[in-house]
Amino acid sequence: MMSSAIDAETAVRETLKKSLRIVADSKLLRKMYEPGVYEQLLRKLPPERLNRHQENDLQAGIEFVRHFQEKSNLKQSDPEIIIAFFRAIFMISQNSQ
């Protein structure tokens, strides 16, 4: 997605659509969004593994945001704030289904 010549709005829209489709198509991922399941999983994971995953996720998000800030029309704000906004949109979409 980042190597193609699309604008930030299209990239974000397509990434969110693809993420929602992946969750919708996966019984395991859908289960994670049931009340209490995600929290239970977090309690079972070793803290270092959870921290490593969160850091990798954040770094991938920062790369995505910076790419479109440099190459397209994405607002020049703190990438972590933009990522938090994307996550909020995703979570609201999941909870409204």
Side-chain angles (χ1 to χ4, degrees), residues 2 5 15 30 45 55 70 72 75 79 88:
M2 288 178 20
T15 300
R30 281 194 319 268
L45 283 174
E55 184 60 34
E70 293 170 8
S72 187
K75 185 174 179 162

Side-chain angles (χ1 to χ4, degrees), residues 3-51:
S3 62
S4 60
I6 60 175
D7 68 0
E9 180 182 350
T10 303
V12 169
R13 186 181 322 109
E14 292 304 314
T15 300
L16 285 172
K17 280 184 189 178
K18 184 175 182 180
S19 298
L20 292 170
R21 205 171 316 121
I22 288 169
V23 172
D25 292 345
S26 170
K27 187 176 180 180
L28 175 65
L29 292 175
R30 281 194 319 268
K31 179 92 175 145
M32 284 182 54
Y33 290 99
E34 291 178 7
V37 173
Y38 185 72
E39 292 78 12
Q40 186 179 19
L41 178 62
L42 290 179
R43 286 192 299 271
K44 290 183 177 186
L45 283 174
E48 59 277 353
R49 187 167 179 186
L50 181 60
N51 289 340

